[in-house]
Amino acid sequence: MVLHGRLITCLATLSTFFTARAAIPSPKAATDLICHTNHASECYPQTFQPTEKFQTVHDDQNLPPGLHVRMNLATGVKEARLNIPEPNADVDASALTIIDDSDLAGYQQPNREVENSPIDSQQEDSRQQPFLPPQHDVAEGTLFSDSASTIKNPNSHMSDLLPAIENLEDLAHSYHWGLSLAKDGDIIHKLFQLLLPTQLSLDIRSLATLVFGTAIHNNEAALTAALSHFYNDEWPEGPLEAVIMALLHEQSPLLLNRMLFLLSSLCQDQNQLQKFLEAGGMELLIKTYQAEPTAVDDRDRLRKKVAHFVLDHLLPTAETGDTDIPNGNDGIEEEPDPDSEWTMIHLQQLAEKYPGHQNDEL
């Protein structure tokens, strides 16, 4: 009877415990989402949800304090995870750890007013300062998203299209937004279509060319991302072929100038440069250099663009040991003279070196 009574008492106690536990409400899930487009798959939580693995932190997300935050130097993307101690972990050369604003509350700048401080001490101070990457304005993200949506929308009116492209041209100078643009296959394909010879206005075509070239200029990751959307079954040709057609047929100095800029940006990829040369690119450059637009200023700008392309991509350096072509210091200066005979000499010698496929249209 005593045992039976104790069992009843124990069960009653457990029943009271679980009833009390059940009465405690579950934590509220973080359901507030940020959506810049109409695609649910592109939404993300307003407050960053950390795990044991690094995840991308969006510019307009709220970061909880105490996380391990870093800048991935390979992608230019901010990442974070739970702050898990890793005393024996190897340093990842492609990522740089940064300090979140919430972790800087007790941080004090080194005293810079001490005179005659040793150089080693000053260097030690500089190494102890936190690395704070540039923050992208939330307004920029909204502007980028809205402009990209306008350009990708097949029903967008021409009066809306030009301002949207202008907005992207401003943003594309940034490494972050240039890469974001290049990763978006839909907008890259749309820009490609806009720069092709169509019934669209010259302003739209030339501006689309400028945006494309700006996004990938001196941005290797963006260039690789942009080219990944072409040379497949659906898109067998890419922007290089559009540039070649423009150099063959276009007459507008403004459009030709921007096509040459896009060409220079594309040819930072050696495969693109090789394809251009094999397609008779040197003959195209000579044709463009010898063009005689109505205005002398237009002619000079075109000639300088051609000269800069040769200087940046084709002239040998002292390390190559190539003596068949004059060295870059022997004619084309940093600011080429559009009337210099040396530029034409370089072009002719390079045309002999890289004959490419003869084009009947040249």
Side-chain angles (χ1 to χ4, degrees):
M1 290 294 293
V2 173
L3 178 61
H4 182 68
R6 288 179 179 177
L7 180 60
I8 292 175
T9 302
C10 181
L11 290 174
T13 303
L14 287 174
S15 176
T16 303
F17 173 76
F18 285 113
T19 302
R21 292 285 294 175
I24 299 174
S26 300
K28 182 181 178 182
T31 55
D32 292 336
L33 298 177
I34 296 176
C35 300
H36 292 296
T37 69
N38 294 327
H39 300 289
S41 61
E42 297 179 4
C43 298
Y44 46 88
Q46 183 176 359
T47 300
F48 181 80
Q49 304 295 306
T51 65
E52 293 183 356
K53 294 183 179 181
F54 280 108
Q55 302 177 75
T56 298
V57 179
H58 298 275
D59 297 325
D60 48 358
Q61 273 186 305
N62 298 322
L63 264 183
L67 300 182
H68 182 176
V69 185
R70 75 179 187 181
M71 174 66 72
N72 190 323
L73 297 182
T75 61
V77 173
K78 187 177 180 181
E79 300 173 336
R81 70 172 185 185
L82 293 172
N83 198 357
I84 305 170
E86 294 185 55
N88 299 320
D90 294 330
V91 176
D92 184 0
S94 67
L96 188 62
T97 300
I98 62 177
I99 299 177
D100 190 48
D101 292 343
S102 59
D103 297 325
L104 294 177
Y107 180 79
Q108 293 183 351
Q109 291 285 349
N111 185 1
R112 296 295 183 185
E113 298 180 358
V114 179
E115 296 183 1
N116 302 321
S117 62
I119 294 178
D120 291 343
S121 176
Q122 291 179 355
Q123 291 176 342
E124 184 66 26
D125 286 346
S126 66
R127 285 195 293 270
Q128 292 175 356
Q129 295 182 43
F131 171 77
L132 299 176
Q135 297 296 313
H136 303 294
D137 196 309
V138 175
E140 286 187 354
T142 303
L143 181 63
F144 179 88
S145 178
D146 291 346
S147 300
S149 297
T150 299
I151 293 173
K152 290 187 286 188
N153 185 354
N155 299 319
S156 292
H157 193 272
M158 288 299 144
S159 59
D160 299 323
L161 198 57
L162 192 59
I165 302 175
E166 289 175 341
N167 291 336
L168 286 189
E169 196 277 324
D170 288 336
L171 293 170
H173 290 274
S174 157
Y175 177 94
H176 173 77
W177 295 119
L179 181 58
S180 298
L181 189 153
K183 286 182 175 180
D184 189 327
D186 290 338
I187 194 168
I188 283 293
H189 288 151
K190 186 64 176 181
L191 288 173
F192 171 68
Q193 292 173 324
L194 291 176
L195 61 86
L196 293 173
T198 60
Q199 299 300 317
L200 292 173
S201 70
L202 182 62
D203 287 341
I204 289 179
R205 291 186 61 205
S206 62
L207 194 56
T209 304
L210 181 61
V211 172
F212 206 130
T214 301
I216 63 176
H217 186 66
N218 292 332
N219 191 336
E220 184 177 356
L223 174 57
T224 301
L227 292 176
S228 70
H229 304 303
F230 298 97
Y231 307 112
N232 50 50
D233 292 341
E234 186 177 359
W235 298 87
E237 294 186 340
L240 179 65
E241 287 71 23
V243 171
I244 291 174
M245 292 302 295
L247 295 180
L248 274 170
H249 301 294
E250 296 295 341
Q251 302 295 323
S252 165
L254 174 63
L255 182 58
L256 287 173
N257 258 295
R258 291 180 173 178
M259 285 290 179
L260 287 170
F261 171 63
L262 175 55
L263 174 66
S264 184
S265 298
L266 289 168
C267 287
Q268 292 171 135
D269 179 277
Q270 289 301 306
N271 290 330
Q272 292 285 290
L273 177 60
Q274 188 65 30
K275 287 180 67 174
F276 176 67
L277 295 175
E278 290 176 354
M282 288 311 307
E283 293 297 330
L284 286 171
L285 292 177
I286 291 175
K287 173 181 178 292
T288 305
Y289 188 84
Q290 292 177 328
E292 292 289 345
T294 304
V296 175
D297 288 347
D298 290 337
R299 184 208 66 177
D300 290 351
R301 277 191 288 270
L302 278 176
R303 288 188 173 185
K304 285 184 178 181
K305 284 285 186 185
V306 172
H308 274 300
F309 180 87
V310 172
L311 187 64
D312 292 341
H313 300 287
L314 297 175
L315 284 187
T317 61
E319 289 79 10
T320 63
D322 191 340
T323 57
D324 294 338
I325 301 172
N327 189 273
N329 295 327
D330 295 334
I332 301 183
E333 303 87 5
E334 266 187 54
E335 275 307 314
D337 180 356
D339 294 316
S340 171
E341 63 180 20
W342 274 104
T343 303
M344 196 62 205
I345 291 174
H346 280 82
L347 288 171
Q348 290 170 342
Q349 292 182 333
L350 287 166
E352 293 174 3
K353 184 177 179 67
Y354 306 107
H357 304 305
Q358 297 300 315
N359 194 318
D360 296 336
E361 296 187 64
L362 291 176

